[in-house]
Amino acid sequence: MTDSISTKRVEPESSKRSVPPSREFTISRRTFVQTLGAGILITVTDALSWGQRRGGRGGGGGGGGAMPVVARLHLNEDGTISVMSGKVEEGQGARTELSQAAAEELRVPFDRIRIVMADTDFVPDDGGTSGSRTTPGNVPPMRQAAATARELLTRFAAKQWQADVNSLEVRDGTITNKATNQKLTYADLAKSREIAEAFKQPIESNITLTAVSDWKVMGSSVPRANNRDLVTGAHQFPSDVARPNMFYGRVLRPPSYKATLESIDLSEAKAMKDAVVVHEGEFVGFAAPSLFRATQALEAAAKTASWKVASQPSVSHKTIHSYLQEHARMDNARGVVTEKGLAEAAKTLSATYTLAYIQHTPMETRAGVAEWKDDKLTVWAGVDNPPAAQRDLAQMFGMPVERVRVIVPDMGGGFGGKHAAPAAQEAARLAKVAGRPVCVHWTRAEEFTWAYFRPAAVIECKGGLDAKGSLIAWDFININAGGSAIDAPYNIPNKRTQSVGSDSPLAQGAYRCLAATGNNFARESFIDELAAAAGADPLEFRLTHLDNPRIRTVLETVAQRFNWSERKRKVTPELGVGLACGTEKNSVVAACVEVGIDRKKGEIKVREVCQAFECGPILNPANLTSQVQGCIVMGLGGALFEEIEFENGKVLNADFGGYRVPRFRDVPKIDVVLVNKTDIPSAGGGETPIIAVAPAVGNAVFAATGVRIRSLPMRGDVLKRA
Amino acid sequence: MDVTVTLTVNGVERTVTTDPQRPLLDVLREDQHLTGTKYGCGEGRCGACTVLMDGKPVRSCVTPMSLAGKKSITTIEGLAKGGSLHPIQEAFLEEGAMQCGYCTSGMILSAAALLQDKPSPTDEEIIAGMNGNICRCNGYVKIVNAVRRAAGKMRR
């Protein structure tokens, strides 16, 4: 199967998942010992095949009904506790925060927790790792499981000692009866058959969890448990997994999207020593003892291939925006019509914003290692949705999901770009024929061409001000990118926001914060335009129309920290300041930036970004700081440089020479303010901090130059012409 | 036509018979099982595959084996001595200068080369010296802090 990517449409909002169906738990009488991915030895009594009995539906909520404690948690005789999560670690810190959650509720130090993640044979189906859902969706069930376990253990001890359960103290994994000084440790209890039996009880979803004010492990900057392996090179990423007798695979790719193979001469490839050649329909793949030889086999065959080139839509990166407008499905329009507000306005404005296709470009490109053994397929894959990858593989090979095991070692970045596991599928096809494990690790050019992109978009904005300069009408249409953060959080009496589809010529999908990068860019830039039209300060104009107390807090916090009012007064044609704010995924962000402008050279240099972010109670300040810093710099890439260039069904800049991502030199002075709001549940923090950067930069450019740049990336050369 | 190449990897002499055009990266990862050196782009532009060759940083993805003969290669696995981490590794841990960690090996080796040349680098020199390495989680701020901290440790 060649991945006919140009016809595959990944919905930008596909990270949203339904709540898992409640499942009946049946007990299998098995005891076995298993070493899991991270070197964890786990003694599995009875119930721990939960991972295998999922009824083939993706969960995602992760909580839920009938899940027994043992599905999430297991006591080990050495005093450690193994906990299980279906989430994936891709650099965002899920491994650490889930371990903190378990440690907190179990009343043990952080290093007592051994977490098993993303191994479909052993972990519950927690759905995909996307949409900033791990914190709100998986941390609470982990805490509930740990708190339930602590309760069960305490009750057991109370019964043993005929003591009042409330008189017992649990600390550092030891239950103590202070009156009698009797003690039981979790290590002691790990041997108990009664506890093993008790852990088959369901996790109590309404159990009392530790109050934020009492947190000891949660809320602290615990480092990632396996970080030493990252600095020594010992950690095996998906692309590092090596199995005995493993071959390396390469796959023939079409020269352009939708091109189909007419003929190919495989004789030279087949004659190569130890090369395995697989030709099944459109799939042509090669495996060999070294990647170099597999590549030689691929190249020998590729030069003989004859392709039927499909007719391509007549569109390139230069014409994509008019193309999307022409193909927009405007009949999907919904919401309150704003004509009335616009008609009553003393002043109206309209503007069209655009954004380019960009790519996630995680440092580790897609990778999969596949091994067939006794009719069972095991893959180690770089994918953020292991259960979906498992179902896809099972379907592909016509086998039950139970016979496919997907393991995701902590992987090298994702940013929403690894929802599917094509490299693992390719490895599995090759491994099946080769009769040995095969590793497929996409080249950077393959990643740039055959992965998916953040959607390009056109965003059409109209706004109306009354005679006093108040915003009374708002019309906002996003064509093609989706509806994330599309609602204007401002008080506007006549408002319509809508997201309409179009025909994307490129495969598009989720990205860090999905469409919110584009919607926030257009909205916060256009708000700035309206503020200018009203003759108002951009900060004051926003605050006048803003009720949301959380957004107000971060906006006022960042403005004060940045010294907005004073620096706004000192703007020159060479030095501008701008701000923007926004909300998405139940978190709020505001940024102030300073840009340096060289109009002769056409250069925009972002000199400083000050950003305030709030996502409820902070689980790990150091990790959250990293995520916010990372979002700011990634946001600068989309704001200033990143753009997929394409024409005639080909990506023209499929390498780091042509596709510019932020480097050390591009990093401005960064000042992050984390606002810790402890009276609401924690939300995820790895995405929303990206959305305020681009509009704040654009607004700063406007403040300095009077030139409004309405397209991402914002190229400084327009300043030369303007 | 395969050639036989003798090189030293992390202090141990190795003899490899392979195609002279095969990248050093592949030999390290596939033959020597040193997977700490990463593939990032295959064109020498991201720095994930950085190793030291006779003390100088090279991009192993674009270094053919024909150029590796009689050379001494240091990979990330060769930095720690007898179980104690190299000061740069310690500094990366102390600053939390990694998110996914895929670029970390290359960052640390580029930093090692930089600090060999410039034991007391300014921030501008750190940025210039590290600019060939890409981090997509964009932990650049903490990486610069880690390199600065490592320099301090190594001067002691």
Side-chain angles (χ1 to χ4, degrees), chain A residues 13 483-486 513-514 516 582-588 684 688 691:
Chain A
E13 311 290 301
S484 295
I486 195 168
C513 227
L514 308 168
T583 178
E584 172 63 1
K585 302 185 196 306
N586 203 24
S587 62
V588 292
T688 304
I691 67 175

Side-chain angles (χ1 to χ4, degrees), chain A residues 188-206:
Chain A
D188 300 330
L189 294 166
K191 303 180 190 102
S192 161
R193 290 203 65 80
E194 271 182 81
I195 292 297
E197 202 60 36
F199 275 14
K200 291 172 195 163
Q201 292 182 37
I203 294 164
E204 291 177 35
S205 56
N206 55 354

Side-chain angles (χ1 to χ4, degrees), chain A residues 89-92 224 227-228 230-233 235-237 239-240 242 248 289-293 296 359-365 411-413 415 441-445 511-512 622-623 625-627 629-631 633-634 642 655-657 659 661-668 670, chain B residues 2 19 21-23 26 29-31 33 35-43 45-48 76-80 83-85 88-90 92-93 96 98-105 107-108 126-144:
Chain A
E89 174 60 56
E90 50 191 314
Q92 85 282 36
R224 186 165 154 186
N227 62 354
R228 194 179 195 277
L230 299 175
V231 301
T232 60
H235 172 66
Q236 288 196 320
F237 289 82
S239 56
D240 296 330
Y248 297 84
S290 71
L291 179 61
F292 187 77
R293 193 171 305 153
Q296 284 181 317
Q359 203 181 57
H360 319 76
T361 55
M363 285 314 295
E364 182 180 38
T365 54
M411 66 180 181
F415 318 112
H441 187 186
W442 281 18
T443 64
R444 183 57 63 183
Y511 181 76
R512 203 168 194 173
N623 186 64
T625 301
S626 294
Q627 288 294 301
Q629 289 175 342
C631 277
V633 180
M634 186 172 265
E642 292 182 44
D655 57 50
F656 282 132
Y659 187 90
V661 297
R663 290 178 178 269
F664 280 90
R665 279 213 180 95
D666 302 310
V667 179
I670 292 179
Chain B
D2 284 357
D19 190 294
Q21 290 307 309
R22 196 166 160 226
D26 290 8
R29 290 177 54 83
E30 297 170 13
D31 301 7
H33 311 294
T35 52
T37 309
K38 306 300 182 197
Y39 169 86
C41 68
E43 46 171 343
R45 290 185 202 267
C46 80
I76 190 70
E77 291 90 347
L79 275 192
S84 24
L85 295 179
I88 302 174
Q89 292 172 312
E90 286 176 359
F92 269 67
L93 286 182
M98 72 288 286
Q99 293 180 47
C100 83
Y102 194 82
C103 71
T104 305
S105 305
M107 290 287 177
I108 289 175
I126 293 173
I127 287 163
M130 302 293 292
N131 201 52
N133 288 64
I134 296 174
C135 169
R136 282 297 285 158
C137 302
N138 295 297
Y140 293 125
V141 174
K142 291 189 178 182
I143 295 171
V144 171

